[in-house]
Amino acid sequence: MGGVQGKVESPAASISETKLEAKVIEAMQRRETEGSSLKSFNSIILKFPKIDESLRKCKSIFEQFDEDGSGAIDPQELKHCFRKLEINFTDEEINDLFEACDINDDRGMNFNEFIVLLCLVYLLKDDPTASHAKSRIGMPNLEATFDSLVDAFVFLDKNKDGYVSKNEMVEAINETISGERSSGRIAMKRFEEMDWDKNGMVNFKEFLFAFTRWVGIEDAEDEDEDEDDDAKEDV
């Protein structure tokens, strides 16, 4: 429990003290009993382009649920989204997910936050004790991408405790087949990007937010905003 005080300092990581985080950890530990198909950290990097392409295709889905066209999904729109996708979560669970993924605390979920939320839903839906255990998010291609992200986390979490430590990242690097030194530097830099509260432990949500940055989802959002601003100037 050595990192708990550090977590309090980071609003983005405060999810780790909630019931939702406990459910995520439990769901990840169940998934980890199956092991990972990945053999090296490089194999994760090689998946970036395909994952990036898959996630970007979700932009139209995001825009569909952004009912007022504000560029963000608010709590009420998210509840409508869950109903349309027939995801049977309670209002409390939906609110917890919203709070966990609204890292800017602006009561609006942008595209990369929405992607992270859907991936958490994908992981949680396999909870055998939950009433929504058999639900599906209705997007097979996206679910395959989410499974790749879960698989990547499972590969990194060597001791299967639901967190990735710096030592586990080092171990993953040492298993890299080629380019160990360059991959090692990149991996350690990325670990620091994931570890928001600097406590040496990374949970799945932290991993997901870092991943959306790695594949450029946030950059794409910035480009879209710049294009919108340019269009307004032209008008």
Side-chain angles (χ1 to χ4, degrees):
M1 300 299 289
V4 172
Q5 290 184 349
K7 292 182 187 301
V8 175
E9 296 173 4
S10 172
S14 62
I15 177 180
S16 59
E17 299 179 352
T18 68
K19 290 188 296 182
L20 174 62
E21 172 61 7
K23 290 179 182 179
V24 170
I25 295 297
E26 290 170 5
M28 180 57 71
Q29 289 175 327
R30 281 194 297 274
R31 172 61 180 80
E32 287 173 333
T33 61
E34 303 172 15
S36 173
S37 64
L38 299 176
K39 303 302 181 185
S40 72
F41 188 79
N42 273 355
S43 62
I44 298 174
I45 296 174
L46 291 172
K47 288 179 175 286
F48 280 14
K50 188 172 182 179
I51 291 173
D52 179 30
E53 180 182 3
S54 174
L55 295 181
R56 288 177 191 275
K57 288 180 179 178
C58 298
K59 191 70 174 184
S60 60
I61 298 169
F62 173 81
E63 291 171 348
Q64 174 186 345
F65 294 125
D66 176 19
E67 297 169 353
D68 59 5
S70 66
I73 294 177
D74 62 35
Q76 194 59 41
E77 288 172 333
L78 184 62
K79 290 175 183 177
H80 293 167
C81 166
F82 272 56
R83 283 200 290 271
K84 289 178 181 176
L85 293 177
E86 298 183 351
I87 300 173
N88 301 316
F89 278 48
T90 66
D91 283 353
E92 180 183 3
E93 288 173 322
I94 295 172
N95 288 334
D96 286 346
L97 280 163
F98 186 94
E99 294 290 341
C101 297
D102 180 22
I103 60 173
N104 296 325
D105 197 25
D106 57 3
R107 305 301 296 166
M109 186 168 296
N110 61 28
F111 181 48
N112 74 305
E113 292 170 338
F114 180 66
I115 289 293
V116 170
L117 180 142
L118 286 182
C119 192
L120 291 179
V121 169
Y122 172 74
L123 179 67
L124 290 170
K125 75 177 179 58
D126 292 324
D127 183 350
T129 65
S131 61
H132 48 72
K134 295 184 179 180
S135 69
R136 293 293 182 269
I137 61 176
M139 296 175 247
N141 293 335
L142 186 58
E143 290 188 3
T145 297
F146 288 161
D147 197 54
S148 293
L149 294 174
V150 172
D151 202 31
F153 190 90
V154 171
F155 169 76
L156 295 173
D157 184 14
K158 301 301 182 183
N159 69 354
K160 305 187 186 308
D161 67 348
Y163 292 90
V164 174
S165 68
K166 188 172 292 187
N167 288 338
E168 287 173 324
M169 183 66 84
V170 170
E171 185 177 344
I173 295 163
N174 289 337
E175 294 175 1
T176 299
I177 296 173
S178 62
E180 287 190 11
R181 288 188 177 181
S182 61
S183 294
R185 287 195 297 272
I186 293 171
M188 292 313 296
K189 181 178 183 296
R190 285 178 169 159
F191 180 82
E192 292 173 0
E193 292 171 355
M194 289 189 292
D195 189 16
W196 291 333
D197 53 14
K198 308 302 178 188
N199 73 337
M201 303 294 288
V202 170
N203 63 30
F204 188 50
K205 190 194 75 167
E206 289 175 311
F207 171 77
L208 290 174
F209 273 111
F211 209 99
T212 63
R213 292 197 300 273
W214 295 346
V215 299
I217 295 299
E218 287 187 330
D219 293 339
E221 283 191 321
D222 292 339
E223 290 173 5
D224 290 343
E225 289 175 1
D226 291 341
E227 289 176 1
D228 290 342
D229 291 341
D230 291 341
K232 290 176 182 177
E233 290 178 4
D234 290 341
V235 173

